[in-house]
Amino acid sequence: MVLINNLIGNYGKYHLWLSFIIFFNKFGVGLHQMAIIFLAPPAQYTCPNINVKCCDNPIYNTSVFKRTIITEWNLICKDSWLKDFTQTIFQFGVLIGSFFFGAASDRYGRRQTLIFAVVIESLTGIVASFLPDYWSFTIVRMLLGISVGGIMVIGFVILMEYVGIVYRDVLSALFHVPFTTGHIALALFGYYIRDYTHLQLAISVINMILLSYICILPESPRWLLATKQSVKAIALIERVAKINHLPVENIASQVELYQMEHRSARMKRGSVLDLFKTPNMRRNIFIMAFLWLVCSYCFYGVAHYISHLTGDIYINVVASGSVALCSCFVSIPLIKFFKRKTLVIVSNLASSVCLILIAFVPEGTFSVVLGCSGVFFTFMVFIVVYLYCSEMFPTVVRNAAIGISSMMARVGSMIAPFVAGLRPHGKWCAPVAFGIFPLISALLCLLLPETKYCELPMTLEEGEALGTNNQRRNIPVADGVT
């Protein structure tokens, strides 16, 4: 809806403040998502009987890490799978949270559900640092993952619903910078905090600043209008306009006129099922969910390959995080210059070529460069599909769409470790298994509509019409242009 950004501006002082408070929660997400690297780093140990490799009372080398979940609960030998299982369960929690909070925020509002997710994150993060056994730790971290899934989805949608077309693409790329910064900063936390309980507590206490959302987080004016809460929408738009030094005299009349003109559209509260009732949106959500799954599958899987770049775990973390961070900044001019569909297709093809080539080159520097390049292009696709997905689906089901897509991304991250484990069957197996799916994604993307310069659809009818000739005639191509 061009109306909102005509009234509050494309990007002003208020938008800058909102970006800051939303970006900080993404920094915390990066810490929690990647924390397993230092919660369960590789453990070195010896057994009292030097003739055996497994024993019940191993002597751990604590020169690097004083205490980890591996040394605390002897997650070695037949129990070694449990250290990976706790991260799988965490990602399963993120999957649930992406779906649950995505759908809930479309029905109950962005502000209310994001605050609820932040409260859950603060409580479970701190509680996890005091738990005495593996299973309670794992279950509470799953609850933490649920909250993380909600925070990622809702925070992004709030930003996209405030920012105008002119800056939407740049903000969608910058939205991932705090995550990669959190990923890199984790190396600093891990270096100075060598006890897993203290590490878990430290990254959780930092995130408690998000409880300030209770006082400062606004609702989305688009959601308020889409759910016929005109009085609240007008009050919020007037407040934002004042902060951005824009006129407020005619806001009420323009909003009321818009609501009258669109009354026939019946902008009901959407549900997840609405995404599957009509052919165009059904096709779009299936393809978009697959794109997200492949992005996460390749990113986490190939990051496992890059982890062998050096024996220093801190350099590993900084290297992989820096590659993703570089991708964030490079994607900004590319998003400005290229169309969404073109960039997704080209990046997927480049990622596919890099990953498949790993299977045909000798292991060494060149294979590492190809692996880093694969992560670079895969993360760029991730950046673009976040924006692409938010532009493709209407306000009443936008969070549900991103929630489903994010849920499928978690499925990809859960599958990735098992695919990376194909190495014993041949060094070509894992690269080919990772590389073939971006190629499929690129082909499927040809069926999607282009959304660049299109205003965000509000109603289910507008979402279904996206990409059709009728939609192109009736949706403005830029703010203020009809």
Side-chain angles (χ1 to χ4, degrees):
M1 182 185 0
V2 176
L3 172 66
I4 289 179
N5 292 115
N6 283 344
L7 297 176
I8 68 174
N10 286 300
Y11 200 83
K13 291 170 60 178
Y14 190 88
H15 295 87
L16 182 62
W17 163 246
L18 181 64
S19 299
F20 174 77
I21 64 175
I22 295 296
F23 279 11
F24 194 85
N25 74 44
K26 190 71 171 178
F27 176 82
V29 164
L31 292 176
H32 282 305
Q33 281 269 56
M34 311 306 292
I36 193 65
I37 296 172
F38 294 108
L39 295 175
Q44 297 179 346
Y45 65 92
T46 57
C47 290
N49 185 346
I50 60 174
N51 295 321
V52 298
K53 293 183 178 180
C54 296
C55 54
D56 294 328
N57 55 342
I59 301 172
Y60 290 101
N61 182 348
T62 58
S63 61
V64 178
F65 296 100
K66 180 180 178 182
R67 191 160 59 132
T68 69
I69 66 171
I70 296 176
T71 62
E72 184 73 2
W73 298 308
N74 283 337
L75 305 183
I76 58 174
C77 298
K78 63 181 178 63
D79 291 328
S80 61
W81 65 276
L82 291 173
K83 63 180 174 60
D84 298 319
F85 183 71
T86 190
Q87 182 66 1
T88 298
I89 291 298
F90 175 86
Q91 294 287 9
F92 179 69
V94 178
L95 181 155
I96 295 173
S98 300
F99 178 79
F100 171 77
F101 281 104
S105 66
D106 283 332
R107 181 164 293 273
Y108 302 109
R110 313 325 192 194
R111 169 185 156 82
Q112 187 172 323
T113 47
L114 181 53
I115 289 175
F116 183 62
V118 163
V119 171
I120 297 291
E121 181 192 43
S122 299
L123 291 176
T124 54
I126 291 175
V127 169
S129 63
F130 294 100
L131 294 173
D133 62 89
Y134 170 83
W135 289 109
S136 62
F137 176 82
T138 298
I139 291 171
V140 170
R141 267 183 54 84
M142 182 186 74
L143 298 177
L144 174 61
I146 291 174
S147 66
V148 165
I151 289 170
M152 288 193 299
V153 170
I154 304 170
F156 181 76
V157 169
I158 288 178
L159 276 183
M160 292 300 100
E161 292 185 342
Y162 265 90
V163 177
I165 288 177
V166 178
Y167 298 100
R168 190 193 303 156
D169 45 12
V170 175
L171 260 292
S172 71
L174 293 178
F175 178 75
H176 299 274
V177 170
F179 177 89
T180 56
T181 304
H183 183 183
I184 296 170
L186 191 64
L188 187 64
F189 280 90
Y191 184 81
Y192 288 104
I193 305 175
R194 306 297 180 97
D195 186 310
Y196 85 94
T197 60
H198 298 161
L199 175 65
Q200 178 64 42
L201 182 61
I203 62 178
S204 299
V205 168
I206 284 180
N207 279 284
M208 288 189 69
I209 194 173
L210 298 179
L211 293 175
S212 62
Y213 280 4
I214 297 172
C215 301
I216 64 177
L217 185 70
E219 185 53 87
S220 163
R222 291 179 185 271
W223 182 84
L224 290 172
L225 288 180
T227 54
K228 301 294 186 179
Q229 300 184 57
S230 300
V231 175
K232 292 182 179 178
I234 291 170
L236 176 58
I237 292 171
E238 288 179 343
R239 180 160 62 92
V240 176
K242 286 180 180 178
I243 295 174
N244 286 341
H245 303 297
L246 294 172
V248 298
E249 293 79 13
N250 299 320
I251 287 178
S253 60
Q254 290 187 56
V255 170
E256 290 169 358
L257 178 62
Y258 174 88
Q259 292 290 60
M260 290 179 62
E261 291 175 346
H262 291 76
R263 187 170 296 168
S264 60
R266 295 179 183 177
M267 289 186 287
K268 63 178 182 179
R269 297 188 181 204
S271 71
V272 174
L273 295 178
D274 290 322
L275 290 166
F276 303 93
K277 289 180 179 178
T278 53
N280 288 340
M281 280 205 294
R282 182 167 57 243
R283 176 203 62 207
N284 294 346
I285 189 61
F286 277 129
I287 296 176
M288 188 58 65
F290 183 77
L291 289 176
W292 283 55
L293 184 151
V294 172
C295 286
S296 185
Y297 164 78
C298 292
F299 176 73
Y300 286 102
V302 181
H304 177 79
Y305 174 83
I306 294 179
S307 68
H308 296 89
L309 181 64
T310 174
D312 190 311
I313 190 171
Y314 304 105
I315 294 178
N316 288 347
V317 174
V318 172
S320 58
S322 297
V323 168
L325 181 62
C326 181
S327 184
C328 292
F329 290 111
V330 171
S331 67
I332 294 175
L334 296 180
I335 289 175
K336 280 290 189 184
F337 183 76
F338 292 104
K339 293 182 178 180
R340 315 292 189 238
K341 182 159 54 172
T342 301
L343 193 52
V344 171
I345 292 173
V346 171
S347 297
N348 266 313
L349 289 175
S351 174
S352 179
V353 169
C354 290
L355 298 181
I356 291 176
L357 280 177
I358 295 175
F360 302 99
V361 301
E363 293 187 1
T365 302
F366 189 47
S367 64
V368 169
V369 171
L370 288 173
C372 289
S373 300
V375 167
F376 177 88
F377 288 114
T378 296
F379 201 76
M380 185 175 295
V381 176
F382 228 145
I383 293 169
V384 180
V385 295
Y386 252 94
L387 173 63
Y388 204 5
C389 188
S390 70
E391 293 178 334
M392 192 172 295
F393 298 96
T395 299
V396 291
V397 290
R398 183 170 296 121
N399 251 346
I402 294 182
I404 289 174
S405 300
S406 184
M407 178 182 72
M408 295 307 296
R410 304 287 74 77
V411 172
S413 65
M414 293 166 66
I415 296 172
F418 297 98
V419 177
L422 292 175
R423 182 184 176 86
H425 301 283
K427 79 178 189 69
W428 60 271
C429 292
V432 171
F434 283 124
I436 196 68
F437 284 95
L439 177 61
I440 297 173
S441 292
L443 295 175
L444 288 176
C445 195
L446 293 171
L447 302 175
L448 293 176
E450 181 54 58
T451 61
K452 189 172 185 178
Y453 301 127
C454 289
E455 183 53 55
L456 294 180
M458 288 282 288
T459 66
L460 295 173
E461 291 78 7
E462 290 177 352
E464 178 64 13
L466 190 67
T468 65
N469 291 332
N470 182 62
Q471 182 267 345
R472 291 191 186 99
R473 286 195 300 268
N474 290 288
I475 299 289
V477 296
D479 285 3
V481 179
T482 58

